[in-house]
């Protein structure tokens, strides 16, 4: 949307999907490896000379900001790594706008066990003088906490999405009605739209709200309800759904989507699943599996730059599946992601296949497809 407003835009998201540098884009294009390495080297030199002892994520965040500076980016779209208050990205003190999406229980060992404790970390990105927009589907206790924080720090405004009617929100409603979007997609579109509109106005752009909305028609977000053609790897003709759902909240949304749009007449779905250590396996998988389903459990490979991220043993996934009453085929593909795809294609017999459970599994799948050409 900001690109459509003729604003030079950079984006930093995490984790990366295929290569470590693909988490940084400028003007809708992934930064190339050469420029990334040069900026990273400069950051690492400063870290060493200054004896800063920054973490790997802090170094990556600094590299993104270094590239934004070198490329003269006007607006950066920055995704928090974890939490908010103590995240490396929260070094930004004067954002144009802050956005808080639907908050779920994740990283409880670091952020707290209740949704309110986690929300207090998220609230740390709210800044004086900056507009704040939030997902109105959050629990009322969370919304009140965020509203209270916005008032305390002196945020410029606090808006819940969906919001009150005005011309801009009317344009959004009309646009949303044209597309067959799920409820969470409508809210996420609204959050992105209002953030872009506020930023564009702060940057003195004359772009219209309708032009911003039209720009979303060509947007692609890999690993989020993405449809894949795996024929080159598996021989399967039918498309496969790839989604990065990795906690109970996102799994619930994915489960509803699969039941409504993917599962055929209550028949089986074949799931390819990998999960990171520390996740709520029972809470995540209970939203996905049904009795007739097939489960292919796999373990994603090493994550570049994040050696501490490890997969749950595939047997643990299958044990939960049994406890949930799954009666289909249960397969342990170990660390062989390609085998998991090929086995799933074989046992699914043309029925739906859904890959999910971890963004790191998404990475492995997309890498396999890229490498085969």
């Amino acid at each position: 949307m900001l690109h459509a407003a003729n604003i030079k835009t950079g984006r930093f998201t995490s984790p990366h999907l295929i290569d470590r540098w693909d988490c940084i884009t400028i003007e809708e294009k992934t930064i190339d490896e050469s420029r990334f390495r040069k900026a990273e080297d400069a950051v690492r030199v400063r870290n060493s000379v200054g004896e800063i002892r920054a973490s790997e994520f802090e170094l990556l965040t600094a590299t993104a900001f270094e590239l934004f500076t070198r490329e003269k980016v006007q607006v950066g779209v920055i995704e928090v790594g974890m939490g908010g208050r103590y995240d490396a990205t929260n070094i930004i003190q004067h954002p144009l706008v802050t956005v808080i999406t639907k908050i779920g229980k994740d990283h409880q060992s670091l952020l707290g066990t209740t949704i309110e404790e986690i929300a207090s970390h998220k609230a740390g990105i709210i800044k004086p003088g900056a507009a704040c927009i939030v997902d109105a589907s959050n629990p009322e206790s969370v919304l009140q906490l965020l509203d209270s924080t916005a008032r305390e720090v002196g945020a410029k405004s606090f808006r819940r999405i969906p919001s009150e009617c005005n011309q801009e929100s009317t344009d959004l409603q009309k646009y949303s009605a044209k597309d067959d979007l799920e409820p969470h997609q409508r809210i996420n579109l609204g959050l992105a739209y209002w953030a872009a509109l506020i930023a564009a106005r702060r940057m003195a752009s004359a772009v219209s709200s309708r032009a911003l909305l039209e720009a979303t028609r060509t947007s692609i977000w890999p690993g989020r309800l993405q449809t894949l053609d795996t024929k080159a790897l598996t021989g399967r003709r039918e498309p496969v759904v790839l989604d990065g759902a990795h906690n109970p909240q996102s799994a619930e949304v994915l489960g509803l989507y699969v039941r409504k749009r993917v599962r055929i007449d209550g028949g089986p779905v074949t799931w390819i699943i990998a999960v990171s250590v520390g996740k709520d396996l029972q809470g995540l998988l209970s939203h996905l599996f049904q009795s007739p389903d097939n489960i292919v459990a796999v373990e994603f490979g090493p994550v570049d730059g994040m050696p501490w991220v490890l997969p749950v043993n595939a047997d643990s996934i299958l044990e939960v599946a049994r406890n949930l009453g799954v009666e289909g085929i249960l397969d342990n593909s170990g660390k062989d992601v390609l085998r998991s795809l090929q086995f799933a294609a074989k046992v699914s017999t043309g029925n739906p296949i859904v890959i999910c459970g971890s963004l790191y599994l998404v990475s492995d799948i997309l890498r396999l497809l890229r490498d085969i050409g």
Side-chain angles (χ1 to χ4, degrees):
M1 292 188 195
L2 293 172
H3 185 69
N6 293 317
I7 296 171
K8 188 169 186 179
T9 306
R11 186 173 70 234
F12 174 51
T13 57
S14 60
H16 63 271
L17 281 182
I18 301 178
D19 299 308
R20 205 155 51 85
W21 47 90
D22 69 24
C23 60
I24 304 169
T25 65
I26 294 176
E27 291 290 80
E28 300 297 302
K29 295 181 180 178
T30 299
I31 199 75
D32 61 76
E33 182 180 3
S34 174
R35 284 188 291 170
F36 173 82
R37 298 278 186 200
K38 289 177 182 177
E40 183 183 46
D41 288 346
V43 167
R44 288 187 179 276
V45 167
R46 290 188 206 123
N47 182 57
S48 177
V49 171
E51 298 183 349
I52 298 170
R53 299 177 183 175
S55 69
E56 285 298 317
F57 185 70
E58 288 169 338
L59 292 170
L60 182 60
T61 302
T63 299
F65 294 170
E66 174 73 15
L67 282 163
F68 290 174
T69 301
R70 292 184 180 195
E71 299 292 329
K72 296 180 173 56
V73 162
Q74 293 175 283
V75 173
V77 179
I78 314 298
E79 180 186 27
V80 169
M82 181 176 64
R85 187 175 304 278
Y86 303 116
D87 191 75
T89 59
N90 204 31
I91 192 70
I92 298 171
Q93 295 302 307
H94 303 288
L96 295 174
V97 58
T98 58
V99 182
I100 299 177
T101 58
K102 186 66 175 281
I103 298 174
K105 288 187 176 181
D106 206 357
H107 307 292
Q108 291 99 313
S109 62
L110 296 171
L111 303 181
T113 57
T114 70
I115 201 72
E116 290 78 16
E117 287 176 314
I118 295 170
S120 71
H121 281 271
K122 304 287 186 182
I125 70 170
I126 301 174
K127 294 292 193 295
C132 176
I133 56 177
V134 303
D135 183 333
S137 70
N138 278 297
E140 186 60 31
S141 60
V142 167
L143 293 171
Q144 289 179 4
L145 185 154
L146 299 176
D147 191 357
S148 174
T149 302
R151 294 175 188 275
E152 288 174 8
V153 305
K156 184 174 184 179
S157 60
F158 182 83
R159 180 185 295 271
R160 300 182 184 191
I161 304 297
S163 60
E164 69 278 1
C165 288
N166 53 30
Q167 183 57 54
E168 287 84 1
S169 59
T170 300
D171 289 341
L172 176 62
Q173 290 166 4
K174 289 179 179 178
Y175 180 86
S176 298
K178 295 179 184 178
D179 294 316
D180 191 15
L181 300 177
E182 292 296 303
H184 75 283
Q185 293 174 316
R186 291 177 183 272
I187 292 176
N188 287 339
L189 172 62
L191 292 169
Y193 164 72
W194 276 106
L197 187 63
I198 291 168
R201 286 173 172 171
R202 291 283 299 274
M203 296 296 293
S205 170
V207 66
S208 69
S209 58
R210 293 177 185 178
L212 291 179
L213 289 167
E214 284 299 322
T216 66
R217 292 196 182 278
T218 58
S219 63
I220 299 173
W221 199 254
R224 298 295 185 185
L225 297 179
Q226 183 178 2
T227 301
L228 298 180
D229 179 355
T230 64
K231 185 178 179 181
L233 292 171
T234 67
R236 176 184 168 92
R237 295 180 180 276
E238 298 82 6
V240 171
V241 176
L242 178 70
D243 191 85
H246 60 277
N247 58 34
Q249 173 210 328
S250 56
E252 181 179 13
V253 171
L254 175 61
L256 290 171
Y257 178 86
V258 169
R259 284 195 288 278
K260 180 178 178 181
R261 297 175 181 254
V262 179
R263 194 179 292 274
I264 303 171
D265 298 327
V269 170
T270 297
W271 300 88
I272 302 176
I273 302 278
V275 181
S276 297
V277 168
K279 298 296 182 182
D280 178 2
L281 266 183
Q282 180 80 23
L284 194 162
L285 302 179
S286 63
H287 291 296
L288 304 176
F289 299 164
Q290 293 190 10
S291 175
D293 292 351
N294 304 313
I295 314 300
V296 182
V298 68
E299 299 165 20
F300 55 78
V303 181
D304 187 14
M306 291 185 280
W308 59 88
V309 177
L310 299 172
V312 164
N313 187 284
D315 279 333
S316 298
I317 296 172
L318 299 180
E319 182 180 355
V320 172
R322 292 188 191 96
N323 293 337
L324 291 171
V326 174
E327 298 176 356
I329 295 169
L330 304 180
D331 175 76
N332 183 336
S333 285
K335 299 181 183 298
D336 194 338
V337 175
L338 176 58
R339 180 199 177 277
S340 74
L341 270 175
Q342 294 171 338
F343 185 83
K346 180 180 178 181
V347 301
S348 65
T349 60
N351 283 307
I353 294 176
V354 180
I355 307 168
C356 66
S358 170
L359 286 167
Y360 308 113
L361 176 59
V362 168
S363 299
D364 285 351
I365 296 292
L366 293 178
R367 190 175 297 108
L368 280 172
L369 289 169
R370 180 196 66 178
D371 292 347
I372 203 170

